[in-house]
Amino acid sequence: MTFSAPRPASSADSAAREREWVARIRAGDEAAFEQLFEAYFAALCDFAQSYVRDPDAAEELVQNVFLRVWQIRAEWQPDGVTAYLFGACRNRALSQRRHERIVARFEDRAAHEGLPIASGQAPSDPDEDAQASELAEALRRAIHQLPERRRMVVILRWEHHLSHAEIAQVLGISVKTVETQFGRAIAVLRKRLAAFRP
């Protein structure tokens, strides 16, 4: 699999073409933007797929990169178009993978704490899909309704993956207080989400 974008015959021609694209896109030239898209889209999708392992996800990621270029076109001044586009795709792919790992860790922690949580697998019917959405919203609301200190402990633990000692340092409280607040938060969340237990 190759990741090189299509290039004109010489590197001088390529650099000139890239400069022209940037200038025209900065001026709002949709035709130039379409030319850029056509020249790089397939290669960027191949490249992104090496990170996300899913052709549809790779295409969506690349489309988002191009959308971002168009949104910031007036200020867009890359040192090199090829390097910029491949770098932007790489950054988005890594960010997406980090997000997926965070979601998986959150689900693992929630399951460990005895909270009902969607498995991440496709539901077998629309009713299960609706219930998973309801559960996610109910969990978000329940966390939001916790007293501030408890809410911060849960957020720092589940969303930012801090240890109890790190949370204690951030909030300026003892580790024992963190443990107590977290335990109380879990008890409240279990109670509020009892209706979702299988």
Side-chain angles (χ1 to χ4, degrees), residues 59-144:
E59 282 193 17
E60 184 176 351
L61 185 153
V62 173
Q63 288 168 353
N64 285 334
V65 167
F66 278 106
L67 175 62
R68 180 65 181 152
V69 167
W70 186 251
Q71 288 171 335
I72 63 165
R73 63 189 177 278
E75 298 85 32
W76 190 51
Q77 289 184 297
D79 289 335
V81 170
T82 303
Y84 175 90
L85 291 174
F86 278 88
C89 285
R90 177 183 180 275
N91 291 341
R92 277 191 182 260
L94 292 175
S95 177
Q96 184 171 320
R97 280 174 32 181
R98 276 194 303 272
H99 174 73
E100 289 167 358
R101 285 196 299 269
I102 288 169
V103 168
R105 281 197 297 258
F106 175 82
E107 290 176 350
D108 287 346
R109 284 198 170 101
H112 180 71
E113 301 296 343
L115 295 172
I117 197 76
S119 67
Q121 297 174 348
S124 58
D125 60 51
D127 288 341
E128 287 183 22
D129 190 28
Q131 187 175 19
S133 296
E134 277 181 46
L135 171 58
E137 178 59 22
L139 180 59
R140 187 196 64 76
R141 275 197 317 269
I143 291 172
H144 182 72

Side-chain angles (χ1 to χ4, degrees), residues 7-192:
R7 286 186 171 278
S10 76
S11 59
D13 288 344
S14 175
R17 185 178 187 185
E18 288 187 359
R19 283 194 301 273
E20 181 185 350
W21 269 335
V22 171
R24 289 173 60 195
I25 290 167
R26 281 172 56 87
D29 186 333
E30 292 181 19
F33 181 74
E34 287 176 18
Q35 290 170 7
L36 180 75
F37 183 89
E38 291 293 327
Y40 285 91
F41 183 72
L44 291 172
C45 286
D46 284 345
F47 178 69
Q49 192 174 340
S50 70
Y51 284 94
V52 298
R53 309 284 185 205
D54 176 357
D56 293 334
E59 282 193 17
E60 184 176 351
L61 185 153
V62 173
Q63 288 168 353
N64 285 334
V65 167
F66 278 106
L67 175 62
R68 180 65 181 152
V69 167
W70 186 251
Q71 288 171 335
I72 63 165
R73 63 189 177 278
E75 298 85 32
W76 190 51
Q77 289 184 297
D79 289 335
V81 170
T82 303
Y84 175 90
L85 291 174
F86 278 88
C89 285
R90 177 183 180 275
N91 291 341
R92 277 191 182 260
L94 292 175
S95 177
Q96 184 171 320
R97 280 174 32 181
R98 276 194 303 272
H99 174 73
E100 289 167 358
R101 285 196 299 269
I102 288 169
V103 168
R105 281 197 297 258
F106 175 82
E107 290 176 350
D108 287 346
R109 284 198 170 101
H112 180 71
E113 301 296 343
L115 295 172
I117 197 76
S119 67
Q121 297 174 348
S124 58
D125 60 51
D127 288 341
E128 287 183 22
D129 190 28
Q131 187 175 19
S133 296
E134 277 181 46
L135 171 58
E137 178 59 22
L139 180 59
R140 187 196 64 76
R141 275 197 317 269
I143 291 172
H144 182 72
Q145 291 168 355
L146 292 170
E148 183 178 358
R149 183 178 283 181
R150 275 180 217 168
R151 184 173 69 247
M152 293 309 300
V153 166
V154 170
I155 289 170
L156 290 171
R157 181 81 177 125
W158 282 357
E159 291 184 24
H160 300 286
H161 316 294
L162 272 60
S163 68
H164 286 182
E166 290 168 329
I167 295 169
Q169 186 176 0
V170 169
L171 299 180
I173 57 180
S174 70
V175 173
K176 184 66 178 169
T177 302
V178 171
E179 292 168 354
T180 300
Q181 293 295 321
F182 188 69
R184 289 177 180 168
I186 293 301
V188 169
L189 294 175
R190 278 187 183 139
K191 186 175 180 182
R192 289 184 181 167

